[in-house]
Amino acid sequence: MTDTGAATQRRRPRNRKAQILTAAAEAFSERGYHPVGIEEIAATVGISGPALYRHFPTKYALFASAVLRLADSLLAATDPAVITREDPEDRLDAVIGAVIRTTIDNRRTGGLYRWEGRYLVGDDRRALRRSMATLHERVTNPLRQLRPDLSEADAAMLATASISAVASITAHRSALSAKQIEESMLAAARSILRTDLPQQGSESPHHESVLEHASKREELLHHSIRLFYLHGYHEVGLDDIGAAASITASSVYRYFPSKAELLEAALHRANVQLTDTLAGALEHSNSPVDAVRTFARLYTELTFRQGELVAVYFAEIGNIPADRRTALRRIQRHNIDGWAQLLREARPNTSVVVSKFLIHAALGLVFDVGRTVRFERSDRTMARVQQTMTAVLLG
């Protein structure tokens, strides 16, 4: 081989930085920020760890760049200079369509800002919040032109729900063509944005009673879920959980052999409750449509009652050992299949796969809207979220 040929082989590709960002985004999105190492990302790209550090000085710098790159792609796709429609309905469709196409293009990485953005700090966190606020404004502005009766808060809720429905495609791998995904998600978003939100209902939140007579095992589960939710799995130690339950860290081992098994027990708890939700919908309904409406009500109530547990499930499942994570995923898929079958009975012309997409969209928006209102469990708030969920499911 000539010296010129060797030099050509050694030359770094011009898009090396973009390759690193894509590999990092996929790894972080799939397994979370903490479990992923620099060497793993470097190996995916075919370079060494030190070579990667020439592009990004720290793992955090790489992570922040990957998250903000995704947010920037959404803003670029919905920029008013790109979407120039004057009619508010056309503009709203164009914005949602751009969000859908960008999310499809980034489907393997698009969940990154949604779940792992909590690890951003300082200016990076503020930048992500500004980007998301701008994206929401690009939905709410034409929406309020179309529906001047909507309050600012109502328009914000519907915008959050519609964007969340689209973002849900990053949370699963059900296969549809890009055109079919775009059509089904645009229809779901339109249904949400047309929803008439209930104005009646109690504003007083329902409060949970404190665990006064729970077993120590239940108390540890309760405190661990709360701490994982507030600080993230990797920032919480068994000593923190023990202190919250007024016992020593060594005493925690009497109930759970490890922190990972404590997390696994919490996630199994979530799966059992979700399974029971489908059973409740079927038991208390007289028709498939009625069952879907009951399912929406029960799921909304469950999510708002156990918001921290649901958040931990979505955000921390990557920290479970691979074999046990597979078992949890299997139960999750079983639940989705059952709910999709229920939806098909209510909408017989909807395919199996589209039904799964709609189920994921509905589940995701309940959680995302719930986060924005801090899972405030007033009758009125839950009725409004239930209505948007029903709009996605029944059209």
Side-chain angles (χ1 to χ4, degrees):
M1 180 182 291
T2 66
D3 291 343
T4 303
T8 300
Q9 275 202 335
R10 289 194 300 270
R11 187 178 299 127
R12 289 186 304 229
R14 293 180 180 178
N15 66 338
R16 174 69 81 204
K17 190 170 185 178
Q19 289 178 343
I20 293 170
L21 283 169
T22 298
E26 289 180 0
F28 290 138
S29 185
E30 177 67 24
R31 293 174 44 226
Y33 174 61
H34 286 285
V36 175
I38 284 292
E39 294 291 341
E40 174 186 341
I41 297 169
T44 301
V45 182
I47 60 176
S48 67
L52 189 152
Y53 281 121
R54 285 199 290 269
H55 296 276
F56 299 95
T58 65
K59 175 181 168 181
Y60 174 79
L62 172 57
F63 169 73
S65 295
V67 175
L68 296 175
R69 179 192 188 207
L70 289 168
D72 289 344
S73 67
L74 288 167
L75 291 188
T78 58
D79 193 299
V82 175
I83 296 176
T84 58
R85 312 281 180 86
E86 292 292 335
D87 179 77
E89 185 170 6
D90 290 344
R91 190 160 77 254
L92 189 56
D93 268 1
V95 168
I96 295 296
V99 172
I100 294 170
R101 289 188 293 275
T102 303
T103 305
I104 292 171
D105 290 342
N106 294 279
R107 189 175 179 188
R108 293 190 62 188
T109 61
L112 183 57
Y113 75 87
R114 193 178 183 202
W115 301 116
E116 299 302 308
R118 61 198 168 128
Y119 292 116
L120 293 178
V121 298
D123 289 343
D124 295 325
R125 176 174 288 190
R126 286 187 284 273
L128 179 62
R129 287 176 175 171
R130 284 195 300 271
S131 294
M132 292 299 99
T134 299
L135 180 63
H136 279 70
E137 286 175 4
R138 290 175 180 173
V139 176
T140 57
N141 288 343
L143 176 60
R144 294 193 74 190
Q145 284 183 275
L146 277 173
R147 300 184 59 184
D149 56 307
L150 285 176
S151 67
E152 184 176 345
D154 287 354
M157 176 179 282
L158 295 178
T160 297
S162 62
I163 292 171
S164 173
V166 174
S168 70
I169 71 170
T170 66
H172 61 99
R173 295 292 175 263
S174 299
L176 272 181
S177 70
K179 181 180 179 181
Q180 288 174 305
I181 295 174
E182 184 171 355
E183 289 174 350
S184 60
M185 289 298 99
L186 182 58
R190 284 171 173 164
S191 295
I192 293 168
L193 296 171
R194 290 195 301 263
T195 300
D196 292 321
L197 296 173
Q199 302 301 319
Q200 303 299 317
S202 169
E203 294 285 1
S204 301
H206 303 278
H207 297 288
E208 299 251 333
S209 59
V210 178
L211 295 173
E212 294 180 357
H213 306 291
S215 68
K216 185 58 68 175
R217 179 183 171 86
E218 286 298 313
E219 191 178 353
L220 287 168
L221 273 172
H222 171 78
H223 289 299
S224 65
I225 291 165
R226 176 71 172 161
L227 290 170
F228 294 155
Y229 173 75
L230 290 174
H231 307 294
Y233 175 77
H234 286 274
E235 301 301 319
V236 175
L238 287 180
D239 53 339
D240 301 312
I241 296 168
S246 302
I247 62 174
T248 63
S250 60
S251 296
V252 176
Y253 289 108
R254 293 171 52 194
Y255 304 94
F256 296 96
S258 67
K259 187 173 74 167
E261 294 205 22
L262 213 165
L263 174 62
E264 184 182 0
L267 301 193
H268 271 296
R269 172 71 52 82
N271 271 333
V272 168
Q273 292 179 345
L274 293 174
T275 302
D276 290 346
T277 299
L278 176 60
L282 295 173
E283 181 181 351
H284 296 102
S285 304
N286 298 316
S287 70
V289 170
D290 186 37
V292 169
R293 295 185 185 278
T294 302
F295 167 63
R297 177 178 60 79
L298 293 175
Y299 185 83
T300 300
E301 291 173 355
L302 171 64
T303 303
F304 273 61
R305 188 173 67 249
Q306 301 280 1
E308 293 177 357
L309 175 57
V310 176
V312 168
Y313 186 96
F314 283 117
E316 306 294 358
I317 193 171
N319 292 304
I320 297 293
D323 57 334
R324 297 179 181 179
R325 187 166 65 244
T326 298
L328 285 166
R329 295 288 195 195
R330 190 180 300 116
I331 297 170
Q332 183 187 39
R333 286 194 295 271
H334 176 75
N335 283 330
I336 294 294
D337 289 345
W339 296 330
Q341 178 58 37
L342 178 66
L343 182 58
R344 287 200 72 212
E345 291 174 10
R347 298 178 64 173
N349 293 328
T350 305
S351 71
V352 172
V353 181
V354 169
S355 295
K356 291 180 182 180
F357 271 81
L358 294 178
I359 290 292
H360 280 288
L363 303 184
L365 77 84
V366 173
F367 178 73
D368 285 335
V369 174
R371 282 197 296 186
T372 67
V373 297
R374 300 181 182 275
F375 297 105
E376 176 222 305
R377 293 194 300 113
S378 69
D379 291 338
R380 180 171 179 266
T381 299
M382 288 193 291
R384 290 150 75 82
V385 175
Q386 175 190 335
Q387 188 74 6
T388 58
M389 184 179 184
T390 304
V392 169
L393 295 175
L394 295 179

